[in-house]
Amino acid sequence: MFSINTNKEAIQQLEENNLDQAMKLFHKAVLEKRDIQSLTNLAWVIWREEDDLERAFSLASEAADLRPTSHFPYSLCGELLLENKRYEDALKMLQQAISIEPTNITYHNLGVAYYYLGETAKAATHFGLAAGKSDYTLYNQIKCLIELGEKGEALRLIQTFDENAEDFIGTIDLAELYVEIGLHEEAIYWFEKGWNEYYLQPNWVGMYVYCLLQRKQETEANNTIQEFLRYKKQEILDTEKEELEEDWTEEDKQEIIIRLTNEIQEFESMLQGVKDGILPTVILEPSPERDCYLFGCERHQHPEYKDS
């Protein structure tokens, strides 16, 4: 009971942003009783607050070895293993978590594991089980379907995106999906909507130019090219003029200038392929999602750990 009280106090200190005191208490709980709850909670807070993957995994896997009846230790281990690119090991942990309690985040993370293991169909299925109304999990599912050649189903799902939804991925990401299934007119519509809202980057602007050329809109394509180049060159000029400060050194300035110069060169190199009808690629790199796995977290209404 004493360690439970320590855990409650630790969580309260964490909620009040007293991180140092919270960490001391989470460590104290482990010293008092090295059990599933104390190990999992310390692992979670070390990962979230200190970004120490190795220490967090050591503690979480110790908790998982105790064969918990909660999915928390397994889900946390799966998340950490994904971050460490140990996809087969992650898959086993996440499957164990699902067998105890299915959650959207665990389904999403299973999708990530399957995707990097080359099992794109299974990835699409699991992203689909976790997808929201208009979020990046749905985006991941659609990208998988496109890779699988299932463009009809991909289009059906693309058309369900709601621009007004809280989890809407954004106009440019939606435009890119339309490009990839060959609907250039729809893609142009969304690229135009996002032009003034997004930072101009070579890849998506290149896709926009590709669509304009496919629609025989050469003047608009050339105007877009010139506007991109003008914007980047102005960024370089503005960077060069900025006065140095304590937290803005000459080295910082040169790094930005080099990046912008490289973006111009990348764009100009890409343009030759675009004019030859080569579509710039958008590589899917799904990321694991994180969740709260704190036993006793009042904010998320998590109970203390109890064996069933």
Side-chain angles (χ1 to χ4, degrees), residues 1-41:
M1 181 62 68
F2 187 57
S3 64
I4 289 178
N5 291 334
T6 304
N7 182 62
K8 286 182 177 178
E9 188 179 349
I11 291 173
Q12 182 178 346
Q13 293 296 322
L14 188 64
E15 285 288 335
E16 294 174 1
N17 292 318
N18 299 324
L19 181 57
D20 289 343
Q21 185 61 22
M23 289 298 294
K24 289 176 184 177
L25 289 164
F26 281 119
H27 277 94
K28 181 183 177 183
V30 171
L31 291 173
E32 289 172 353
K33 189 175 183 183
R34 202 174 184 90
D35 59 7
I36 289 165
Q37 174 165 293
S38 64
L39 290 166
T40 303
N41 284 9

Side-chain angles (χ1 to χ4, degrees), residues 97-219:
I98 284 289
S99 72
I100 296 171
E101 183 180 340
T103 69
N104 284 346
I105 286 180
T106 306
Y107 277 130
H108 171 96
N109 287 344
L110 272 168
V112 174
Y114 277 123
Y115 185 78
Y116 286 117
L117 288 170
E119 297 191 57
T120 309
K122 288 183 179 179
T125 297
H126 285 82
F127 285 134
L129 290 169
K133 186 176 180 63
S134 300
D135 63 3
Y136 277 102
T137 305
L138 178 58
Y139 173 91
N140 292 339
Q141 181 190 10
I142 293 167
K143 286 282 290 182
C144 288
L145 290 170
I146 292 170
E147 288 186 21
L148 292 165
E150 298 180 24
K151 292 189 176 182
E153 178 62 8
L155 176 58
R156 185 188 70 80
L157 291 173
I158 290 171
Q159 292 172 332
T160 68
F161 277 103
D162 180 0
E163 186 180 6
N164 297 314
E166 288 185 4
D167 60 357
F168 180 58
I169 57 172
T171 54
I172 298 302
D173 291 299
L174 183 53
E176 290 174 349
L177 292 176
Y178 274 113
V179 179
E180 291 192 85
I181 60 172
L183 295 178
H184 304 125
E185 186 174 354
E186 290 83 350
I188 290 169
Y189 169 80
W190 290 104
F191 278 129
E192 287 176 349
K193 288 202 74 169
W195 182 262
N196 293 318
E197 299 173 4
Y198 278 68
Y199 182 70
L200 301 185
Q201 294 179 312
N203 197 270
W204 76 259
V205 177
M207 294 186 84
Y208 184 18
V209 172
Y210 171 88
C211 290
L212 290 168
L213 291 174
Q214 292 296 308
R215 298 290 298 174
K216 308 299 182 185
Q217 297 176 228
E218 287 85 359
T219 300

Side-chain angles (χ1 to χ4, degrees), residues 49-69:
E49 301 298 339
E50 297 183 355
D51 206 32
D52 190 333
L53 193 155
E54 187 174 339
R55 282 180 65 213
F57 180 71
S58 177
L59 291 160
S61 60
E62 184 179 343
D65 287 342
L66 296 174
R67 298 187 178 180
T69 55

